Amino acid sequence: IKVDRSLGGKRDLRRLDEDLTASGSRLYGDVAFQRVSFESDHYNWKMETAQYYSGYVVALGRTNPATLRTSSMTYHEVMYDVLSPKFLVRHVNRFVNKFDNAGIQGVSLRDLGDMVPSDKRRNNVINREQSRQIILAQLKKLDEASEHMLINGGNAYTWPYARDLSNIPAEHNPFYIVDEEIPFYQMVIHGCIDYTGSAVNLSDSYDKQQILLRMLEYGLAPHFTLSWQDSSEMKYTGLNVFYTTRVDTWLEDASELYKQANEVLRHVSGSTISTHDILGKGVKRIRYDNGCILYINTGETPANHDGITIPARGYVLEGVQQ
């Protein structure tokens, strides 16, 4: 683990961690164990990468939106090898031994929460269930080495170790056979773990009110990916997926969205969802175990249910304890 001096070094990183902790926030150092970049040093890709039955190593990249093929999209740095579960223990042990020197308390796991790779090499086949058991052992180890963990993706086996979850599924697949969306995942974990969906400023479309209603219905905390400098600086690099991240552009919207979401979610964030009812087209009713009832209307006209008028593209929160 090396702290970049051009960003301030260990001293400034530790100071940032202390300042965020004092303000009630948390700093997480992000790490990828299973998706090993082609740019990584000290990695023996021929030996440590998972293999197909054919003997070829598993090397992937980003999905090209034009061809829908998984390729490098001309940038070598977005390609990665998939680490064999056999060697995961080695890399986690090395990380844990050095983590104390990083000067921060939280760790963010980029791929241990949404990826369960197998290894089909003929002399030592590791199936996905065996891989899951190996990952679980490493999660326990990382949990003991850090004070809190943020986990990306959030497969169910990670829940006992997660303080926060990011990029959890918050929309259905685009199949026409789907009639309604039900936030089953959120109904299971709401009130137990804090979580976010994908970054608002990197979504396919930006309808602020629609995004707010989805956050309230699913209990999602606002999530933005921001940079200090203009995102055009990354245009001709592998980071070109971050196409609109400048903080000056998004700070006002992010602050407003947070305040609007907080007006509702602060009353129910520690409560579990009892029921999620679809009352009509675009009209939902979410009951919480603390007695709060949230009505959501995504339609273009007002709706009346239970003697309550829900405004068009709006919401009503009932049962708030004063």
Side-chain angles (χ1 to χ4, degrees), residues 176-195:
Y176 288 112
I177 197 173
V178 175
D179 296 316
E180 294 285 355
E181 295 181 75
I182 299 173
F184 179 78
Y185 184 103
Q186 289 76 13
M187 292 177 69
V188 174
I189 67 172
H190 193 283
C192 302
I193 309 172
D194 292 333
Y195 53 85

Side-chain angles (χ1 to χ4, degrees), residues 153-165:
N155 289 346
Y157 56 80
T158 68
W159 293 344
Y161 306 101
R163 177 73 174 270
D164 299 279
L165 296 172

Side-chain angles (χ1 to χ4, degrees), residues 62-284:
R62 290 208 180 100
T63 301
N64 189 319
T67 64
L68 298 183
R69 292 181 179 272
T70 302
S71 63
S72 65
M73 296 180 67
T74 73
Y75 295 109
H76 186 264
E77 62 266 29
V78 301
M79 295 291 291
Y80 59 87
D81 294 304
V82 176
L83 179 71
S84 168
K86 178 180 179 181
F87 297 98
L88 178 61
V89 178
R90 171 192 298 180
H91 289 285
V92 171
N93 285 341
R94 291 176 61 189
F95 178 84
V96 167
N97 292 336
K98 299 291 185 179
F99 182 67
D100 284 342
N101 297 328
I104 59 177
Q105 308 301 319
V107 60
S108 166
L109 302 179
R110 197 182 310 171
D111 52 24
L112 281 184
D114 67 350
M115 187 177 188
V116 186
S118 60
D119 189 354
K120 301 300 194 301
R121 66 184 69 211
R122 297 179 182 179
N123 60 348
N124 186 16
V125 175
I126 301 176
N127 61 39
R128 283 167 56 83
E129 179 57 33
Q130 293 169 324
S131 176
R132 189 178 74 92
Q133 295 301 323
I134 295 172
I135 292 172
L136 277 171
Q138 306 321 300
L139 287 172
K140 182 177 180 181
K141 196 179 302 179
L142 290 162
D143 182 54
E144 294 171 352
S146 62
E147 288 194 10
H148 35 259
M149 287 200 301
L150 181 149
I151 297 178
N152 180 63
N155 289 346
Y157 56 80
T158 68
W159 293 344
Y161 306 101
R163 177 73 174 270
D164 299 279
L165 296 172
S166 64
N167 295 305
I168 69 168
E171 58 185 13
H172 69 85
N173 57 48
F175 298 151
Y176 288 112
I177 197 173
V178 175
D179 296 316
E180 294 285 355
E181 295 181 75
I182 299 173
F184 179 78
Y185 184 103
Q186 289 76 13
M187 292 177 69
V188 174
I189 67 172
H190 193 283
C192 302
I193 309 172
D194 292 333
Y195 53 85
T196 77
S198 57
V200 171
N201 56 312
L202 299 177
S203 59
D204 294 336
S205 62
Y206 187 64
D207 182 329
K208 191 187 302 184
Q209 188 65 15
Q210 182 180 356
I211 290 172
L212 173 63
L213 294 178
R214 175 59 61 98
M215 284 183 178
L216 299 183
E217 180 183 354
Y218 283 56
L220 300 166
H223 173 198
F224 287 80
T225 297
L226 303 172
S227 61
W228 180 255
Q229 295 189 27
D230 198 280
S231 51
S232 62
E233 298 289 338
M234 301 180 282
K235 183 175 181 180
Y236 298 108
T237 74
L239 297 178
N240 57 11
V241 293
F242 301 115
Y243 49 86
T244 172
T245 59
R246 187 179 175 93
V247 66
D248 291 348
T249 303
W250 287 100
L251 187 57
E252 184 177 342
D253 277 7
S255 177
E256 180 183 350
L257 191 60
Y258 172 82
K259 289 177 181 177
Q260 291 178 320
N262 189 52
E263 288 179 0
V264 174
L265 298 182
R266 66 189 177 94
H267 296 292
V268 299
S269 61
S271 304
T272 59
I273 297 176
S274 302
T275 61
H276 178 279
D277 301 312
I278 299 174
L279 304 178
K281 187 175 182 180
V283 183
K284 317 289 177 59

